[in-house]
Amino acid sequence: MKKNEWDYKIFWDETLKQMQSEITEQEYLMWFRNMYYNRSEESRILLTVPSSFYRDQIKQRYLDRLENIILELSGQKISIDFVIENKKNIKKKTNKSDKLKTEKKLKKPRHLQLNPEYTFKRFVIGENNSFAANAAYAIAKNPGRGYNPYLIYGGVGLGKTHLLQAIGNSAYEEFDKIKIVYVTAETFANEFILSIQNKTGHIFKNKFRSVDILLIDDIHFLQGKEGTQEELFHTFNALYDSNKQMVFTSDRPVSELKSLSDRLRSRFERGLNVDLQPPNYETRVAILNKKIEEKNVNIPDSVVELICKNIKNNVRDLEKALTKLIAYAELVNKNITLEIAQRQLKDFFAEPNQKNITIDTIQKVVAEYFGLSFNDLRGKRRNKSIAYPRQIAMYIAREITEFSTTEVGIEFGGRDHTTVMHACQRIEDRLKTDPTMEPLINHLIRSIKEYKNQ
Ligand code: ADP
Ligand code: MG
C-alpha cells in the first residue's frame, strides 16, 4: 500500500515550538493546549480543536502566523484547517493530565477560603464553557502573566464560583509559597467597612495588596457602593502594577453593571472577559453523570434523561434534583426508578405556568434590569434609553406569554399592535447580529420566571 505522501506532522511540531517561543506561556496554554495534530492531506494540515469558537478564535489570532511559519520551514504553501472533536475525548485528556499532576504533588494543608471540591478535575467541559474553562486553566498555570484581570460572567448556577475557585485550588497546589485570597464582593465590602470603623485600614490594605492571586466573586454586588468601589480601584492598581493576577465573576457583562465608576469599569474590562452560557443537553448529561459517579450511587439512564430534559438553565438545580432523589431513596430504602423520579421531582420541574406570567412582572423585571421605573416602560416617552428596554419587554411578552400583540400594546401605554410587531421585529433582527442579545434575553426570561416563583 502506498504510504501517505503528505505527512506534515514534523513541520507542525516545529511550528508549535516556534509559536511557543513567540507568545506568552499563558497564551500558549490557553490556545494550544487543546489543539492536536489530526492528519495531513495534499497541501494541508488538519488540526483538532474543541469547538467552533476555538477554531474561529485561532483563525483570527494565529492562522496567518502559523501558515507563515510552516511556509518558512517547509518551503511550500501548506494551509491549515480544523476538525472539531467531540467533547468526551477532550474531557478525558484534560482529566488524565490533571490526575497525573495531583498524584505527583504532596498535599498541603487546605486553603481555608477555597472549597476543595471546586477543582478543574470536577468541572465538566462542554461547548458552553470550554473557552471560560480553558482560560481559567491557563491562568491558574501562569498567574499574572497574561490575561489580567480575567472576568467570568453569566447567570446563576452556571459554574462561575466553581471556575474561580478552581483557579485558586490549582495554583495553590502548583506553586509553593503562593498567596491566594478568595472573597465574595460582599465580604470585601463588609471587611472594608469594618476596617474603617475599627481604624484598621492598614491591615485591610495589606491583606488585599500583598497577594499573588486575588479572586473576587460576584462583583455585581458592588453596584452603587462607591466607597468600596474606590477601595477596589486602588487595590486593583496596586496589584496590576506588580503583575499579580486578579479574577472576578459577575452575573452580567461589565457593560451592563449599573452605578459603577467608569474607571473601575474600564479596569474590569481591561483583561479578558468571558461569558458562561447554560449547558446544552449533552453537557448536562455529562455533568449529571459525573456527579452520580462522585456520589457513587446507582441511577438509571432514563432518570438522568428525565432530569436533564427538564432542568435546562442551572447546573446547581441539576445537583439539587439528584440530591433530593438520593435522600428520598435512602429514606424509603428503595432503588431509584423512573417512576419514583417522576413523582419526587414533579414540583422541581414544574416551570411556572407560562400563562400565569403577567406583563406586569415582565415590565418590573426589565425595568429594574435597565435601571428604569415600571412607569417608564408603560409610559409614552420615546427616548432611546426607554424605547430599547421597552422593545425587549414587548418581545419577551410575546415570547413567553399567550397575550396577543393587541393585548401587549394595551399594557404598554395603549400602543397599537403594529408597534408591538415592529418592536419584536427589531429585537429579532438584533438577535441575528448582536451576540450579546441572546444571553441578555435568556437572563431576563430566567429572572422573570424566578420572580414568579418567589
Ligand atoms: P455560579 O457561581 O455561576 O452561580 P456555581 O459555580 O456555584 O455557579 O455552580 C453551581 C453548582 O454547579 C456547583 O456545585 C458546581 O460545582 C456545579 N457546576 C457548574 N458547572 C459545572 C460543570 N461544568 N461541571 C461540573 N459541575 C458544575
Ligand atoms: Mg457563584
Side-chain angles (χ1 to χ4, degrees), residues 204-413:
F204 178 87
K205 285 191 172 54
N206 190 39
K207 170 173 172 186
F208 288 101
R209 295 185 195 182
S210 65
V211 303
D212 298 303
I213 303 185
L214 177 61
L215 308 168
I216 303 191
D217 212 352
D218 296 331
I219 55 151
H220 48 269
F221 180 84
L222 299 177
Q223 292 176 106
K225 307 208 164 45
E226 288 159 28
T228 312
Q229 286 179 22
E230 162 125 12
E231 181 60 28
L232 182 57
F233 172 75
H234 293 298
T235 308
F236 186 109
N237 291 342
L239 292 175
Y240 189 83
D241 289 343
S242 44
N243 294 324
K244 303 301 188 190
Q245 182 70 49
M246 286 167 278
V247 189
F248 304 105
T249 70
S250 164
D251 72 351
R252 57 187 84 175
V254 173
S255 59
E256 282 163 27
L257 290 169
K258 292 180 292 271
S259 311
L260 184 73
S261 73
D262 287 344
R263 55 187 195 166
L264 190 55
R265 189 189 304 276
S266 78
R267 295 301 183 283
F268 285 146
E269 285 177 335
R270 187 177 276 178
L272 180 68
N273 288 206
V274 176
D275 69 335
L276 275 182
Q277 294 283 326
N280 62 17
Y281 175 74
E282 288 77 15
T283 308
R284 295 199 295 279
V285 171
I287 293 174
L288 198 59
N289 278 331
K290 183 146 185 90
K291 307 276 172 202
I292 289 170
E293 188 190 307
E294 281 166 11
K295 289 180 198 285
N296 201 11
V297 285
N298 210 345
I299 311 244
D301 287 348
S302 57
V303 172
V304 172
E305 228 170 76
L306 175 79
I307 298 177
C308 293
K309 282 202 173 129
N310 282 284
I311 299 177
K312 297 189 176 143
N313 289 321
N314 185 328
V315 179
R316 189 174 294 124
D317 286 352
L318 280 182
E319 279 187 319
K320 276 198 209 151
L322 180 64
T323 311
K324 184 169 178 198
L325 267 190
I326 295 174
Y328 176 81
E330 276 174 5
L331 192 71
V332 299
N333 202 13
K334 277 190 188 151
N335 286 334
I336 296 166
T337 60
L338 183 60
E339 204 207 332
I340 288 184
Q342 268 160 344
R343 206 160 358 99
Q344 285 305 309
L345 298 176
K346 203 163 70 221
D347 294 343
F348 221 91
F349 296 154
E351 286 250 346
N353 182 348
Q354 308 211 331
K355 283 184 187 144
N356 288 340
I357 293 179
T358 61
I359 295 181
D360 224 58
T361 307
I362 297 174
Q363 288 165 333
K364 277 183 194 142
V365 172
V366 175
E368 203 220 327
Y369 185 87
F370 286 97
L372 301 170
S373 76
F374 177 61
N375 288 332
D376 283 340
L377 274 197
R378 295 179 68 96
K380 298 267 180 214
R381 283 163 59 201
R382 286 161 189 263
N383 44 327
K384 195 157 170 261
S385 63
I386 299 179
Y388 168 59
R390 190 184 285 136
Q391 285 170 353
I392 289 186
M394 287 177 174
Y395 172 82
I396 292 178
R398 287 288 294 149
E399 281 292 301
I400 68 172
T401 73
E402 302 287 321
F403 294 109
S404 66
T405 45
T406 308
E407 287 164 321
V408 173
I410 291 169
E411 297 288 328
F412 283 86

Side-chain angles (χ1 to χ4, degrees), residues 18-63:
Q18 174 76 27
M19 204 65 210
Q20 195 166 10
S21 68
E22 292 181 12
I23 57 181
T24 65
E25 200 180 338
Q26 194 178 64
E27 239 184 290
Y28 184 80
L29 272 172
M30 173 153 167
W31 296 110
F32 293 87
R33 179 175 71 103
N34 274 335
M35 187 156 91
Y36 305 97
Y37 173 84
N38 181 304
R39 63 178 190 275
S40 301
E41 287 176 0
E42 186 176 5
S43 303
R44 109 185 159 125
I45 292 177
L46 285 128
L47 302 172
T48 300
V49 288
S51 66
S52 54
F53 177 82
Y54 248 73
R55 176 197 59 204
D56 297 344
Q57 289 289 318
I58 287 164
K59 275 189 177 167
Q60 190 189 336
R61 287 164 196 256
Y62 306 108
L63 192 60

